[in-house]
Amino acid sequence: MSLDLVLFGGTGDLAWRKLMPALFQAFRHGTLPQGCRIIGVARDDLSDTAYRELIASRFEGVELAKRPSAEEFARFAALLHFLRMDLSRPEDYARLAARLAERHAGTVVMYVATAPALFTTVCEQLAAAGLNAPHVRVVLEKPLGHDLASNRAINETVRMAFQEKQVFRIDHYLGKPSVQNLFALRFGNALFEPLWRRENIANIQITIAEDLGVEKRGAFYDQTGALRDMVQNHALQLLCAIGMEPPINSHADAIRDEKLKVLRSLKAWTPETLTQHVVRGQYAAGGSNGHAVPAYRDEPGVDPASRTETFVALRTEIANWRWAGVPFYLRTGKRLASRDARIVVNFRPAPHAIFRTPAGAANQLVINLQPKDGLELHLLAQGQDNRRSNAQTLSPVHLDLDFDRRFGAERVGAYERLLLDVIDGRLNLFVRSDEQEEAWRWVEPIQEHWANDTQGPRPYTAGSWGPSAASAMIARDNYCWHEEC
Ligand code: NAP
């Protein structure tokens, strides 16, 4: 079966930084179908040869292990083609139809890696040109809207053009090997499931911290902020993976039904919780990796009076029988102390103490997502220096499973994995429209609260762990963030 992968925005940053490297790795691993065509689309007037040269230059600076040899790139380049189109012009879609009709119809993937403002036009025009038959799949990048209404409007247009099973909404966090391992940990092992509930778990912390600032994307970020960029999608998807009930099987809808139930069970916001359980921050000048770095408001493309948040910490609960009363803390931000994404599951202490333990000591499961990928299980054990048998003091120890070391060579990157799933028509790692709408519904009261709040984001020093209000928020429950405990 032939494959045509049409990359709308084929000369853009996403194609350049993520998609082309992922497609090349898939090619190298032999997982792209024989004879497939990758057709880059943009308004530039490029020949196939010029496009291949442009993409070749992409690989010049990459690390040696991921760089193709000249012979290898020549074979990959033979798959690359270019089509000049202005996606806002309906008449240009006939040329795409003609290019695709050059050969027998196999699977066609339309990857929409252009500005979100073009999403609905592209879907409408693909349908108008008859390019929405069942063998066509459409991939949509985030952000799909900036609030519930705009997300619904996009979904409605997409629904008029394509069936839900043809639509692949990317949340690249779901493609990360570590996140797939989270599903494997919970639903492939019997060990944790009996413990995975309110009786045994005191709290759960999800942190997605970046040490970088907004880099070259200041103008985009200033219109978006951490809540829309990270919480509404990635952080909530991680929360779903941690909190969902076991699905009845591994089919996409079985998994997505369970994730949707978690989103619907999130405790509704009240004026009090919006004030006390949500903290927004914005980085001030500080240091990162030994270098002085500017404040967010001084970054290129950012409004000098910007009130956009670069940090969010919040506390929520999943209101159901399994989780009632267990706080889930979510935290994400830019220019934090380190690049660190992890989920920490804090178990309750042993119910009756016959040993002496360090203050606050309890079991902890740490799921490392990035840069490390693996699991740590923190336990208490009899230490070496209990020379007197009546000392009976326990010390913390941990089991450390390093998935990178164990599975290193076999692992595929998030975009490679997701692209292969689109090609194979597997929807498990993609977000359904109702999940996405429910996530927007839940963040909307926060957006409204901030719009009417004169205080604005709290400043924090670049290179720190965010505003002190985030520590105060968790301290009110008598807990602390993992790096503070
Ligand atoms: P970008 O660098 O601005 O690239 C946009 C691409 O679309 C270019 O190839 C551009 O080429 C093309 N384009 C723009 N208007 C067009 C038109 N009317 N007709 C045809 N082609 C047009 O944007 P990006 O950063 O790659 O982002 C693309 C999408 O991915 C956005 O939705 C973004 O939010 C999302 N995303 C990006 C990243 C990232 O890391 N970059 C991460 C996650 C999600 P011409 O101007 O030559 O036409």
Side-chain angles (χ1 to χ4, degrees):
M1 184 68 85
S2 71
L3 168 74
D4 282 329
L5 195 156
V6 183
L7 200 48
F8 297 112
T11 55
D13 181 68
L14 185 71
W16 181 260
R17 286 194 307 115
K18 303 283 186 190
L19 303 179
M20 278 299 165
L23 285 166
F24 172 69
Q25 288 305 323
F27 169 77
R28 178 179 264 185
H29 294 146
T31 41
L32 282 186
Q34 286 283 328
C36 84
R37 292 191 297 184
I38 299 168
I39 305 172
V41 169
R43 288 168 299 184
D44 247 4
D45 194 6
L46 297 178
S47 63
D48 286 357
T49 309
Y51 188 54
R52 289 167 188 167
E53 281 166 7
L54 176 76
I55 301 304
S57 65
R58 162 69 183 93
F59 292 95
E60 278 163 14
V62 304
E63 60 181 289
L64 210 51
K66 295 194 171 165
R67 197 184 308 162
S69 66
E71 177 274 330
E72 199 178 16
F73 186 78
R75 284 190 290 116
F76 175 64
L79 311 181
L80 301 178
H81 304 267
F82 189 80
L83 181 66
R84 181 169 60 84
M85 276 179 78
D86 183 339
L87 294 167
S88 61
R89 286 163 44 111
E91 57 273 30
D92 283 13
Y93 288 77
R95 285 195 284 115
L96 175 61
R99 179 68 79 92
L100 294 173
E102 282 167 2
R103 52 191 210 163
H104 186 67
T107 300
V108 177
V109 173
M110 307 284 191
Y111 199 120
V112 191
T114 57
L118 284 168
F119 286 178
T120 49
T121 310
V122 170
C123 289
E124 281 165 354
Q125 293 308 320
L126 287 175
L131 294 173
N132 60 344
H135 65 281
V136 178
R137 295 175 191 145
V138 63
V139 184
L140 298 173
E141 268 291 345
K142 74 162 194 183
L144 277 188
H146 53 272
D147 58 11
L148 178 60
S150 53
N151 177 253
R152 273 189 174 154
I154 294 174
N155 280 337
E156 266 163 35
T157 310
V158 173
R159 221 172 276 134
M160 281 195 276
F162 295 96
Q163 296 174 49
E164 184 68 37
K165 66 181 181 202
Q166 294 174 274
V167 184
F168 292 71
R169 293 178 193 79
I170 292 245
D171 185 315
H172 74 272
Y173 261 68
L174 293 179
K176 287 182 184 285
S178 47
V179 177
Q180 286 151 51
N181 252 313
L182 178 53
F183 288 102
L185 171 84
R186 288 202 54 203
F187 307 128
N189 295 281
L191 190 64
F192 292 108
E193 177 52 27
L195 301 174
W196 214 255
R197 54 193 64 250
R198 63 193 299 280
E199 289 81 359
N200 310 302
I201 292 179
N203 69 80
I204 294 182
Q205 302 178 11
I206 299 173
T207 297
I208 310 176
E210 295 173 79
D211 54 353
L212 293 178
V214 289
E215 306 297 290
K216 293 178 186 155
R217 304 185 78 216
F220 158 80
Y221 194 87
D222 209 32
Q223 300 300 315
T224 311
L227 186 72
R228 291 188 178 108
D229 195 41
M230 299 300 288
V231 176
Q232 183 276 337
N233 37 54
H234 308 317
L236 282 184
Q237 284 293 326
L238 294 179
L239 175 84
C240 287
I242 277 281
M244 67 196 262
E245 296 298 315
I248 55 167
N249 56 37
S250 62
H251 294 165
D253 277 336
I255 295 168
R256 301 189 303 177
D257 287 347
E258 296 305 336
K259 288 196 288 165
L260 179 63
K261 279 194 221 162
V262 172
L263 293 166
R264 287 189 175 151
S265 313
L266 289 176
K267 240 184 172 174
W269 296 107
T270 65
E272 193 190 7
T273 55
L274 283 168
T275 312
Q276 301 212 342
H277 293 169
V278 187
V279 174
R280 61 172 162 161
Q282 187 188 74
Y283 62 83
S288 176
N289 299 315
H291 300 285
V293 292
Y296 173 71
R297 289 178 179 188
D298 295 330
E299 298 275 18
V302 172
D303 176 356
S306 173
R307 284 163 52 95
T308 299
E309 78 289 354
T310 60
F311 174 95
V312 180
L314 60 84
R315 176 200 193 282
T316 185
E317 288 179 31
I318 301 175
N320 64 16
W321 276 54
R322 185 187 287 268
W323 293 117
V326 177
F328 283 73
Y329 303 105
L330 272 51
R331 179 175 58 157
T332 183
K334 291 199 175 285
R335 282 276 186 245
L336 295 182
S338 64
R339 176 168 178 253
D340 178 18
R342 67 170 79 187
I343 301 171
V344 178
V345 180
N346 286 310
F347 289 87
R348 295 190 189 283
H352 173 63
I354 61 167
F355 298 107
R356 275 202 295 272
T357 54
N363 299 139
Q364 197 179 56
L365 179 70
V366 179
I367 301 153
N368 288 311
L369 305 172
Q370 82 185 14
K372 245 175 99 175
D373 173 9
L375 279 183
E376 291 166 29
L377 183 58
H378 294 248
L379 304 165
L380 294 163
Q382 196 68 261
Q384 285 299 315
D385 44 344
N386 283 324
R387 292 184 188 89
R388 286 176 300 156
S389 60
N390 65 350
Q392 300 288 301
T393 300
L394 302 187
S395 309
V397 290
H398 71 272
L399 296 167
D400 191 350
L401 298 179
D402 183 336
F403 291 148
D404 282 329
R405 203 174 318 148
R406 170 64 183 82
F407 301 113
E410 304 153 33
R411 319 210 88 186
V412 295
Y415 270 101
E416 182 181 352
R417 169 72 201 253
L418 294 173
L419 279 163
L420 294 174
D421 280 1
V422 177
I423 292 168
D424 291 345
R426 261 195 311 270
L427 279 155
N428 297 28
L429 299 177
F430 297 86
V431 184
R432 210 168 52 192
S433 60
D434 49 4
E435 276 181 83
Q436 215 172 41
E437 286 177 21
E438 202 56 49
W440 277 115
R441 186 171 294 117
W442 186 75
V443 299
E444 202 161 62
I446 306 176
Q447 292 175 303
E448 283 166 8
H449 176 69
W450 286 349
N452 299 317
D453 167 30
T454 50
Q455 190 182 16
R458 293 162 192 270
Y460 62 94
T461 308
S464 70
W465 276 106
S468 57
S471 302
M473 177 189 78
I474 194 168
R476 282 198 288 275
D477 292 338
N478 288 324
Y479 298 129
C480 47
W481 295 106
H482 66 83
E483 77 281 355
E484 296 172 335
C485 292

